[in-house]
Amino acid sequence: MVKTKTILIVDDEERTRQGLKKTLEIWGDGRYEIYSGSNGREALEICRKRRVDLLITDIQMPEMSGLQLLEALREISQEPVVIIISSYSEFEYAQRAIELGVKNYLLKPISKKRLTEAVEQAMEVVQSQERAGFIDKVVDKSLIEVNTEDTASTPIKEAMAYIQENINGQLSLRDVASHVHLNPSYFSALFKERTNLTFSEYVTRKKLQNAKKMLLTTNLSIEEVAEKVGYQTGKYFIKLFKDYEGTTPSKFRKTASSHSI
């Protein structure tokens, strides 16, 4: 579920503000939602109502400076990628801007070419951050630990590969043990020894990891997601999801989607 990226331009000089907005609207060709504010307080109100991916703000503004705006945004958990624009080149401004995570610092007057280049670079940063955030939301850290440790035992590696190939189906310990030619009881003990997870927990985490990806990237219903990852009933899937993730699939989708993707 790809969302349109949002750009907010903040400058107390109306001519500059409107010029920047028009340039980016032409450049963006409808790909972005572009808003503008005449001062920091107005910008802060906009940010309270919607997520902003890229903030382009002047430093010197009445009531609330651009740097004060960035500090205020942190307090409401909004940390967009930032481009500072200013008529001033004093070192202390640039230094503080860097401390606040500013990605670019443009001095007025700004050419259309320089502006669009800076915005293109900033949007690459936005995409990179979103990919990292998506991975963090979806990937199960317990599975990372299993996959990065040396599982030495060839039968366990074969079992994990078989599980991966058949993860959306019905997987039983007996079937997987048979596939790697081991006694089920011995296989169960060996799997736990090598992975620090029981067979059942490992399979469940793999299925839920796939489910989280579907919840964030498709419009499938909870029941459809449950079926696709191999659960016969949505009710059982919801229970498992809540047990492992601490929230329901629908709440996970709503919360995670409101902050990314």
Side-chain angles (χ1 to χ4, degrees):
M1 296 181 290
V2 178
K3 292 190 174 184
T4 303
K5 300 294 182 291
T6 301
I7 299 172
L8 174 59
I9 301 164
V10 191
D11 197 306
D12 59 311
E13 297 176 5
E14 184 176 1
R15 186 175 177 180
T16 299
R17 184 171 70 252
Q18 294 304 324
L20 293 173
K21 189 170 187 288
K22 184 176 180 180
T23 296
L24 292 183
E25 284 175 341
I26 294 171
W27 165 80
D29 193 27
R31 292 176 295 164
Y32 306 101
E33 290 185 16
I34 302 175
Y35 298 89
S36 63
S38 60
N39 57 61
R41 296 193 185 284
E42 188 176 325
L44 191 58
E45 285 307 306
I46 292 172
C47 291
R48 290 184 192 278
K49 296 174 183 176
R50 59 180 51 81
R51 179 185 176 223
V52 171
D53 297 290
L54 172 60
L55 173 67
I56 303 172
T57 181
D58 192 8
I59 279 189
Q60 293 289 67
M61 295 184 292
E63 296 186 50
M64 178 184 284
S65 72
L67 298 184
Q68 288 173 327
L69 170 61
L70 299 189
E71 291 170 341
L73 287 176
R74 283 188 171 184
E75 293 178 4
I76 61 170
S77 299
Q78 275 259 32
E79 294 192 47
V81 173
V82 180
I83 295 174
I84 286 287
I85 55 177
S86 180
S87 301
Y88 302 88
S89 58
E90 286 92 334
F91 177 72
E92 62 267 24
Y93 285 130
Q95 186 179 41
R96 182 59 182 144
I98 291 170
E99 290 173 359
L100 289 169
V102 170
K103 297 302 178 185
N104 216 324
Y105 192 100
L106 305 178
L107 293 178
K108 297 178 182 178
I110 307 165
S111 70
K112 293 180 181 179
K113 184 175 185 294
R114 185 72 187 93
L115 174 65
T116 56
E117 285 177 348
V119 172
E120 285 174 355
Q121 292 169 4
M123 281 304 176
E124 288 177 3
V125 175
V126 171
Q127 295 286 1
S128 177
Q129 290 178 346
E130 288 193 345
R131 283 192 293 271
F134 177 79
I135 290 170
D136 188 55
K137 291 182 179 73
V138 170
V139 173
D140 189 314
K141 291 179 177 59
S142 294
L143 295 178
I144 293 176
E145 292 172 4
V146 168
N147 291 329
T148 55
E149 289 177 1
D150 181 12
T151 53
S153 172
T154 299
I156 297 305
K157 288 182 179 179
E158 290 178 359
M160 290 168 68
Y162 181 77
I163 291 167
Q164 180 62 36
E165 290 172 6
N166 299 277
I167 192 61
N168 292 332
Q170 301 298 315
L171 282 164
S172 72
L173 185 148
R174 184 173 294 276
D175 288 339
V176 179
S178 175
H179 177 76
V180 296
H181 311 294
L182 290 178
N183 172 278
S185 297
Y186 175 70
F187 170 72
S188 177
L190 183 64
F191 193 92
K192 178 69 181 339
E193 178 189 334
R194 298 295 183 180
T195 67
N196 290 318
L197 297 173
T198 65
F199 171 82
S200 176
E201 184 180 2
Y202 180 81
V203 171
T204 299
R205 288 183 180 278
K206 293 287 285 187
K207 285 181 177 292
L208 293 183
Q209 183 170 269
N210 286 353
K212 287 187 286 184
K213 183 177 180 180
M214 289 184 199
L215 289 168
L216 296 186
T217 60
T218 74
N219 291 315
L220 294 173
S221 69
I222 303 303
E223 288 72 22
E224 288 171 327
V225 170
E227 183 180 351
K228 283 189 174 294
V229 297
Y231 291 114
Q232 294 180 342
T233 68
K235 185 176 181 181
Y236 181 62
F237 167 65
I238 292 169
K239 180 184 183 301
L240 273 179
F241 196 98
K242 191 171 183 180
D243 286 345
Y244 278 81
E245 301 298 327
T247 187
T248 64
S250 57
K251 286 182 180 178
F252 171 83
R253 169 180 269 170
K254 183 177 180 181
T255 303
S257 296
S258 68
H259 290 92
S260 66
I261 317 308

